[in-house]
Amino acid sequence: MKLDPAFIWEAFIKLLAAIPTTLEITAVSVGCGFVIGIVTALARIYRVPVLREISSAYVTFIRGTPMLTHLLMVMFGLPIAIDALSGALGLSFSSVQVPMIGFAYVAFSLTAGAYMSEVVRSGLLAVNRGQIEAAYAVGMTTWQALRRIVFPQAFASALPNLSNSLIGMLHGSTLAFTASVVEINAKAQIVASTNWKFFESYIAAALIFWGLTIVIERLTALLEKRVARYDRGGVA
Amino acid sequence: MIALKEIRKSFGRHEVLKGIDLEVEKGEVVAILGPSGSGKTTLLRCINYLERPGSGRIRIGDVAVDCGHPSKKEIHRLRGRSAMVFQQYHLFRHKTALQNVMEGLVVVQNVPKEEARQRSVELLEKVGLGAKLDAYPSQLSGGQQQRVGIARALALNPDVILFDEPTSALDPELVGEVLAVIRKIAREGITMIIVTHEMAFAQEVASRIVFMDDGAVIEEGAASEFFRSPREERTRQFLRRMTPEAVYNI
């Protein structure tokens, strides 16, 4: 076996078509995960009864089990729930009508939510208590204080970790292949299945993931410059 | 104007405020003195409900709150009547000096932006920071930050400004500029309650002194009287420890 550089390029071009699917899965899971993360983090910090216990259990369970397991459980569990619900309500809707990528969206959103809950929580805890006291002293309501004073600072300090989560979910989206979703890595396998040049094909996939990751890193750096402009702290 | 009745507060089993009564008239400058742990900062923080009193009544202007079961709305209205200057400044870190002063006007008092900006610029000029409008707190010295904090409090046009040891966190050479600003606004007839360790400053700027120890008011009186002839033994002890002889003249 000899490396076939020309096929790396050929595979690379073919894999480009799968980028939107990968980005969609990543964007949906990180977007929904961020919302879940904010809600569960606030529930835990503000010790909201019931919601707090549910949030804690959710975070420890999801972080305590592999991402692939989440996908499998959603893939096999959700249809049962959907069909039972649909039957109970007398609807004609069946779980077969749900596209497979939908299960990936749900499963990975749950995965991302648990990790991002911790990211959001650490961001919120990094904001000095005096900031919210000052906001209260100025006459703000709790919501105004959170929105105007706490969230912007929490976001700035959580940004490096948020970027980490985003990259993690980008790479994790490859697991969607298990749900027959053709994202970049799955496409690489398919592309090579005719000529068995898997190595070349996976190199092409790696290059694409690397490229996407570099874009995320650059964007984060730009954003960081903008939102953390007020703070020239740190040890450097 | 301001009336505190029977304010009690405990942290766990430890009772820090043992039924405090205090009245402050409009335009008065009241300094609260006392050894550390006497409850003076806690009392000050109770006035705008940053600390939740166990029981008692608080009235500022026409807002009265029964500390037993205040509603969120009552607390919010009470806070609207006062402003606070913190020991650690607590400027909004992600906002410039100008934005810090404008924030309350725009967000809480719904003053139109242009008007808020104009008033804020004037106030920052008044505290000597007209050249630092766009500086972030991290780019300002402690003294400058505290002066922004005072401008932020003034902007709200509150019934009373609460000062929580406004110079305690400052380097000695920066204390003067902050005290000068407080002195200046005290002369304008703004009602102030100041918790401080600066004896000479309290004597000069306050019209009345309240001396606290162990969660209770031990003695209060006109500033001139208080330093010249303290009535209580505990007050005398405190003053002997705290002040150079020049201030403590019996």
Side-chain angles (χ1 to χ4, degrees):
Chain A
M1 277 293 267
K2 228 178 93 221
L3 189 73
D4 178 359
F7 189 68
I8 296 178
W9 177 247
E10 199 185 322
F12 187 87
I13 300 296
K14 285 181 179 161
L15 294 189
L16 293 179
I19 290 180
T21 308
T22 290
L23 291 184
E24 269 163 39
I25 298 171
T26 311
V28 169
S29 57
V30 169
C32 296
F34 194 34
V35 175
I36 296 172
I38 291 172
V39 173
T40 51
L42 285 175
R44 289 189 294 157
I45 288 176
Y46 281 95
R47 295 162 199 265
V48 183
V50 188
L51 206 54
R52 174 199 182 195
E53 284 79 16
I54 294 173
S55 301
S56 298
Y58 159 73
V59 171
T60 171
F61 176 73
I62 294 292
R63 296 208 312 159
T65 44
M67 189 169 166
L68 182 59
T69 307
H70 308 153
L71 181 60
L72 293 171
M73 293 186 83
V74 168
M75 255 170 71
F76 293 105
L78 200 55
I80 298 174
I82 290 174
D83 291 337
L85 194 69
S86 173
L89 296 173
L91 303 173
S92 59
F93 189 82
S94 153
S95 59
V96 184
Q97 288 164 260
V98 180
M100 290 308 277
I101 199 169
F103 296 117
Y105 287 161
V106 174
F108 295 165
S109 295
L110 290 173
T111 311
Y115 287 96
M116 293 178 93
S117 182
E118 285 298 272
V119 172
V120 171
R121 202 170 64 93
S122 81
L124 289 171
L125 292 180
V127 179
N128 189 313
R129 165 129 204 98
Q131 293 290 311
I132 200 161
E133 286 191 349
Y136 284 148
V138 162
M140 290 190 198
T141 61
T142 303
W143 175 240
Q144 284 172 331
L146 286 177
R147 192 169 50 87
R148 306 270 322 171
I149 307 302
V150 177
F151 287 162
Q153 293 183 34
F155 182 70
S157 71
L159 196 56
N161 288 328
L162 286 173
S163 156
N164 236 346
S165 294
L166 181 59
I167 292 169
M169 291 313 294
L170 172 74
H171 299 166
S173 71
T174 50
L175 293 175
F177 189 30
T178 309
S180 322
V181 175
V182 181
E183 42 64 60
I184 293 170
N185 217 45
K187 184 85 176 172
Q189 197 167 336
I190 292 167
V191 165
S193 60
T194 50
N195 58 6
W196 289 74
K197 291 186 177 168
F198 287 105
F199 187 45
E200 287 81 352
S201 190
Y202 286 139
I203 288 175
L207 289 174
I208 290 180
F209 275 115
W210 190 14
L212 291 174
T213 305
I214 288 171
V215 171
I216 293 174
E217 285 171 346
R218 288 286 155 81
L219 288 176
T220 311
L222 280 178
L223 197 59
E224 204 168 330
K225 233 180 192 169
R226 252 186 75 87
V227 300
R229 163 180 57 170
Y230 61 85
D231 193 6
R232 300 170 312 150
V235 287
Chain B
M1 169 85 149
I2 297 161
L4 308 180
K5 275 253 172 297
E6 269 295 298
I7 300 292
R8 288 179 184 280
K9 166 78 183 172
S10 301
F11 289 121
R13 247 192 237 160
H14 179 57
E15 194 173 32
V16 258
L17 297 177
K18 300 172 178 169
I20 304 273
D21 293 310
L22 180 65
E23 291 203 15
V24 179
E25 295 304 319
K26 190 167 162 52
E28 253 193 311
V29 177
V30 174
I32 304 178
L33 309 179
S36 55
S38 58
K40 52 197 193 307
T41 287
T42 306
L43 177 66
L44 196 75
R45 287 165 58 84
C46 280
I47 298 175
N48 68 352
Y49 248 84
L50 286 183
E51 217 68 74
R52 196 172 269 269
S55 65
R57 294 186 56 78
I58 301 173
R59 190 173 60 76
I60 305 179
D62 57 357
V63 181
V65 171
D66 186 338
C67 304
H69 324 272
S71 67
K72 272 192 171 173
K73 208 169 168 189
E74 282 178 311
I75 294 174
H76 188 240
R77 283 189 58 202
L78 187 72
R79 285 182 178 148
R81 288 315 166 100
S82 63
M84 188 167 229
V85 174
F86 295 87
Q87 180 176 0
Q88 302 288 346
Y89 336 128
H90 294 331
L91 296 184
F92 304 131
R93 290 180 59 219
H94 60 310
K95 294 187 178 292
T96 62
L98 180 60
Q99 289 167 341
N100 260 281
V101 182
M102 281 175 68
E103 185 71 9
L105 288 176
V106 175
V107 176
V108 178
Q109 301 188 352
N110 297 315
V111 176
K113 249 193 168 154
E114 205 30 60
E115 192 186 326
R117 158 184 269 281
Q118 213 173 328
R119 259 163 72 184
S120 302
V121 170
E122 280 167 23
L123 283 169
L124 282 167
E125 279 166 356
K126 184 173 180 173
V127 298
L129 291 172
K132 295 284 186 185
L133 300 181
D134 296 322
Y136 285 100
S138 62
Q139 298 164 326
L140 297 173
S141 73
Q144 290 170 330
Q145 288 188 58
Q146 193 58 297
R147 285 187 278 153
V148 175
I150 293 169
R152 177 172 71 177
L154 283 171
L156 301 167
N157 203 11
D159 287 349
V160 57
I161 301 183
L162 312 170
F163 290 83
D164 181 14
E165 306 193 19
T167 57
S168 297
L170 294 171
D171 291 338
E173 76 267 27
L174 301 177
V175 169
E177 66 187 57
V178 172
L179 293 185
V181 168
I182 300 176
R183 197 176 288 131
K184 186 165 157 185
I185 60 176
R187 277 197 221 104
E188 293 174 9
I190 292 169
T191 315
M192 307 197 290
I193 303 178
I194 308 174
V195 169
T196 184
H197 289 296
E198 301 279 343
M199 293 300 134
F201 175 70
Q203 183 174 24
E204 177 204 334
V205 84
S207 47
R208 189 148 58 95
I209 306 284
V210 173
F211 176 70
M212 282 179 70
D213 194 8
D214 201 19
V217 173
I218 303 297
E219 175 168 354
E220 63 178 302
S224 45
E225 286 295 305
F226 179 88
F227 286 99
R228 203 177 321 129
S229 48
R231 293 186 299 271
E232 302 291 327
E233 178 52 31
R234 262 200 278 184
T235 316
R236 272 179 230 139
Q237 276 178 5
F238 174 73
L239 288 176
R240 222 170 290 144
R241 267 184 287 131
M242 288 299 291
T243 53
E245 282 164 67
V247 180
Y248 182 52
N249 39 16
I250 288 179

